[in-house]
Amino acid sequence: MNRRRFLGAGVALLGTGALGAFAVPATARLLAEGRPGRLLRSEVPLPEAFQVPLPVPAVLAPVRSDATTDYYEITQKVARLEILPGLRTETWTYGGSYPGPTLSVRSGRRTVVTHRNELSVPTVVHLHGGHTPADSDGYPVDLVFPVGTSAEHAAAHGMAGMEGTEGMEGMAGAVDLGRTTIGTRAYTYPGHQRAATLWYHDHRMGFTGPAIWNGLTGFHLVRDDEEDALPLPRGDRELPLVLADRAFTADGSSAYPALDPELAAPGVTDDYMNGVLGDVILVNGAPWPRAAVDRARYRLRLLNASNARLYRLELDPQPPGGDALVQIGGDGGLLEEPIVHDAVEIAPAERFDLVVDFSRYPPGTAVRLMNRFGGGRTEEVMLFDVGSRAVSDDSTVPERLCTLERLDAEDAVATRVFGFRRSRGGDWTINNRPYAPGRALAGPALGSTEIWRFFSDVHHPVHLHLNSFQVLSRNGGDPGAYDAGWKDTVDLRPAEAVEVLVRFTDYPGSYMLHCHNLEHEDMAMMADFAVE
């Protein structure tokens, strides 16, 4: 116990850790500059790259539909998957696969997803990038206890009346402990948002890092008529790509430096407080896969689902003339106009929607997707085998993709400042406060527009729930090369200040602002804001 500090406003670490406080090692080594994280090396020999075909997550069909709503069911369960060739890894899954099944839904139609928890731990599901009512947003103490949990056990470890909530009465955005359930929970997504690449993942307080590391990740793609009308690549030439890094023990089990190996208490060991990096790069759950592609345009929906790793993605070789990566969208959907890049930098939780024209390569070219922020084996990501036969391709990338609504800073009714930094006491904090459920650091009015200014000590990818935002500036200058369009996660570099413009629409209630370096998040770098 001398290596843990328990944080939060009267929140105690209870039994199973269902509503755990955050464990912060006091002697953790903190990187003062550069990219975050410490490499966790696998104990098993790593497989040769580019031997495994790229898997594509299955698209989940609704169990039923009516005039307004599509209904889905997902079971959270343990599965023994062959991630490394010849070995089985016990994986926490949505529906038995890693990543979980893709939900492909229509803007304007309501989606109801019922999750059944057959794991051994409580879970919370967050639709990342979703414009979602508070009771379905995945607030970190809206727990779904495993099937078979007794009401008495749940009441003692996370339901209404639990120990540890005294003194929270009267706090802005107070926690509604009645949203805890046993066995199943139905999450309702109204669908009032444009086409975009979203994803769903676990969001339990103090345990998001090990949950996502162990497999609780999946795509949620929103489609609409505006995007469908564009002549972009589609069908087999649209590839959703989940990037993640992992490490494995000698028998193929998942390795993670948890402070408590049984995951009854949150936190990681001292050396990994600034983030956990794996030495195996997975794409859609496969190590360094290869994909056969036609000499045609492909749409790549990229998601960085790593706990802490940053990627600088680049094709090798570059096509003649460069500008290999044509960005058509980001976190919140289509950009107004395409932006060409030789490389893109993607922080944890960010998404990039890119078009690559493989017809610019000679037939038979092997094109590697590289991570220039990596080293050794983590510098390679996957391989594209460019076909040799002639194919038809009627896709194009229009010069104009859409017309975006632009928020006006003159409409902002408030400017708020949020500092992301480590306190002198060793806590990961926002505005010098470690996270406490129900304690809101901001109370924006429903329908209002505000400027939120984030500043950092080290690297922090900052994620805002409820609404996407538009980046106004970096360090008082123009937005960065990767800040275009609507975003819900912004990469905040060391000693940097970023201003964003956000309008709070449709849904009142308690929402989250947090760092998406999952080890930072689990060790208290979160805050509530209450839309009133």
Side-chain angles (χ1 to χ4, degrees), residues 143 145 150-151 153-163 177-178 180-182:
L143 305 173
F145 280 88
S150 69
H153 179 85
H157 298 289
M159 293 187 74
M162 74 174 70
E163 176 188 355
L177 297 174
T180 297
T181 64
I182 296 174

Side-chain angles (χ1 to χ4, degrees), residues 247-273:
F248 299 87
T249 65
D251 65 359
S253 300
S254 178
Y256 185 77
L259 193 61
D260 178 357
E262 300 301 318
L263 296 181
V268 291
T269 56
D270 290 16
D271 286 348
Y272 295 92
M273 182 181 174

Side-chain angles (χ1 to χ4, degrees), residues 233-253:
R234 63 189 70 226
D236 292 341
R237 292 178 184 164
E238 179 184 304
L239 295 177
L241 301 176
V242 178
L243 309 184
D245 57 334
R246 298 290 184 264
F248 299 87
T249 65
D251 65 359
S253 300

Side-chain angles (χ1 to χ4, degrees), residues 101 167 341 363 432 463 497 510 522:
H341 304 282
N432 298 316
H463 173 47
S510 293
D522 281 350

Side-chain angles (χ1 to χ4, degrees), residues 1 53 58 84 116 119 126 211 219 243 300-301 391 404 423 476:
M1 295 291 290
L84 299 181
R116 176 180 171 87
L119 298 169
H126 170 53
F219 271 115
L243 309 184
L300 309 181
R301 294 181 181 260
V391 297
L404 288 182
S423 71

